[in-house]
Amino acid sequence: MRTYVKPIAAVTGSLVLATGLTACGGSTAAADEKVVTVYSADGLKGEAGDGWYDKVFADFEKKTGIKVEYVEGGSGEMVQRALREKSNTQADVIVTLPPFIQQAGSKGLLQKYTPQGADQVGGGDKASDGTWTSVVNNYFGFIHNKKELPAAPTSWEELLDGRFKNKLQYSTPGVAGDGTAVLIKAMHDFGGQEPAMEYLKKLQANNVGPSSSTSKLAPKVDKGELLVANGDVQMNFAQSKSMPNLGIWFPAKGDGRPTTFALPYAAGLVDKAPHTENGRKLLDFMLTEGAQREVSAVGGGFPARKDVKATDANAIELARLMEGVEVFEPDWADIDKNLKTYVDAWKSATGS
């Protein structure tokens, strides 16, 4: 384990097409050489067109003339869609959260490509076989309504209190990246699968129910419909600019130290992509120093490149938020191998 010292950079939702961009269209997209199609977990595109993707995609199109066609959904949902289309590939680039980026690699959905600038990305934030590289670093977290619940909860155990009945919700493990992260953190904090499932079974008494979208939970928390929900630092920090009641916090086990783990947006070039060269150019562009400097300033996240030291107001606030939080590193190989087992155990424990 290590304690967070300085900034290093989610997520999920129903299938959505970004405003101003169209979904990939098979033969139409294939006929247009000036296009690149991105399948992505949500969180990096702003609700008002002011997110990191909005800025980077616009700058990329201006520089290259290549239009970005964007499809958004849950982390697992994007991988499953690409898998269904394997015999007729539509996407060029896929951006998703662990463990789904590892899943994409193990299922043969990614081809090897090392983007320019990837040498400045930490070893744990990219694949050893060169199939994916983090483009925005991020951390798992929870949110609370600062108006109705001014003091954030501090522990998992506190969430079992009756005041959270029907006022707590987390996104669906196995579908949403952040929902899967709930399982990963619970198994770490409680010391294994069995005690984590025992806890989540108890928590189910307060849980509103499943949600395929983590990003859609934030508005409910901001309005007070929910007091607590799961999320991730980048997405929720960005959302808090227009949702003033959102507060970010990290659960601890009992009176222990709050913990979290890195949950980066990792990008890979899709195998047999219809526009492979354009996909390479976009991956290169997302890791340029200019784009990486805007990760915190525009996107509210943490740069993936170690040599980019963000000093903007957001970066300072993010560093302060992470002070005193212990960061652990999950065994992603184990999680990739046993994800179905863990999700099935969660379904059994919670009756989901």
Side-chain angles (χ1 to χ4, degrees):
M1 293 186 182
R2 61 189 175 88
T3 300
Y4 185 91
V5 179
K6 58 185 178 181
I8 324 176
V11 213
T12 55
S14 304
L15 193 65
V16 177
L17 301 183
T19 306
L21 298 170
T22 57
C24 56
S27 59
T28 302
D32 184 359
E33 294 183 354
K34 288 291 188 179
V35 69
V36 60
T37 298
V38 177
Y39 282 9
S40 179
D42 61 348
L44 293 176
K45 190 178 190 306
E47 294 286 335
D50 55 355
W52 187 69
Y53 271 162
D54 301 284
K55 181 71 165 63
V56 169
F57 291 168
D59 290 348
F60 177 71
E61 184 173 353
K62 183 177 179 180
K63 180 180 178 181
T64 65
I66 298 170
K67 178 182 175 63
V68 178
E69 294 191 338
Y70 178 72
V71 180
E72 181 179 284
S75 294
E77 183 182 5
M78 290 294 89
V79 173
Q80 288 303 311
R81 175 166 174 162
L83 192 60
R84 289 195 302 270
E85 297 171 348
K86 202 170 180 182
S87 61
N88 181 28
T89 307
Q90 302 294 306
D92 301 301
V93 170
I94 190 165
V95 184
T96 189
L97 307 181
F100 298 103
I101 192 66
Q102 288 89 347
Q103 187 181 83
S106 65
K107 291 183 179 298
L109 291 177
L110 306 176
Q111 58 175 297
K112 293 182 181 180
Y113 179 63
T114 303
Q116 295 175 27
D119 59 317
Q120 293 295 333
V121 175
D125 295 324
K126 58 188 176 186
S128 58
D129 64 359
T131 52
W132 57 266
T133 306
S134 297
V135 291
V136 171
N137 278 350
N138 191 18
Y139 295 89
F140 176 66
F142 273 71
I143 48 176
H144 70 106
N145 180 294
K146 294 192 294 185
K147 184 178 179 181
E148 302 293 331
L149 192 68
T154 58
S155 69
W156 287 105
E157 290 82 358
E158 193 173 342
L159 298 180
L160 299 177
D161 191 273
R163 63 183 167 147
F164 293 108
K165 187 172 180 61
N166 295 324
K167 288 288 188 175
L168 175 151
Q169 191 172 17
Y170 61 91
S171 51
T172 307
V175 175
D178 288 327
T180 306
V182 172
L183 288 189
I184 294 170
K185 180 167 156 56
M187 287 193 295
H188 170 270
D189 288 1
F190 285 91
Q193 177 184 321
E194 189 173 334
M197 298 310 158
E198 287 177 6
Y199 168 79
L200 292 171
K201 181 178 181 178
K202 295 176 184 176
L203 186 65
Q204 196 66 10
N206 289 342
N207 187 17
V208 170
S211 172
S212 63
S213 169
T214 310
S215 65
K216 290 182 180 177
L217 299 181
K220 295 180 181 180
V221 173
D222 183 60
K223 293 173 185 174
E225 294 175 25
L226 298 173
L227 291 177
V228 170
N230 70 314
D232 62 73
V233 174
Q234 177 278 324
M235 179 176 65
N236 295 143
F237 185 84
Q239 289 172 319
S240 70
K241 300 303 180 182
S242 59
M243 301 178 194
N245 294 323
L246 290 188
I248 300 172
W249 67 287
F250 306 91
K253 171 70 169 65
D255 59 359
R257 199 171 192 175
T259 69
T260 189
F261 61 96
L263 204 59
Y265 292 90
L269 189 63
V270 178
D271 188 44
K272 299 182 178 65
H275 308 99
T276 293
E277 189 55 38
N278 293 348
R280 290 181 181 134
K281 289 178 180 177
L282 180 60
L283 289 171
D284 289 347
F285 192 82
M286 288 195 287
L287 278 179
T288 59
E289 288 187 39
Q292 286 291 300
R293 284 194 196 96
E294 292 171 335
V295 166
S296 56
V298 176
F302 305 79
R305 287 181 59 147
K306 296 180 294 183
D307 61 337
V308 174
K309 309 299 182 184
T311 58
D312 58 89
N314 283 351
I316 293 168
E317 193 173 345
L318 286 162
R320 190 177 300 120
L321 176 68
M322 299 296 295
E323 285 178 2
V325 181
E326 196 169 71
V327 179
F328 65 91
E329 186 173 341
D331 184 342
W332 291 116
D334 170 77
I335 294 163
D336 181 35
K337 180 181 178 182
N338 297 302
L339 180 60
K340 186 178 185 302
T341 299
Y342 298 146
V343 172
D344 286 348
W346 170 81
K347 288 178 179 177
S348 177
T350 61
S352 300

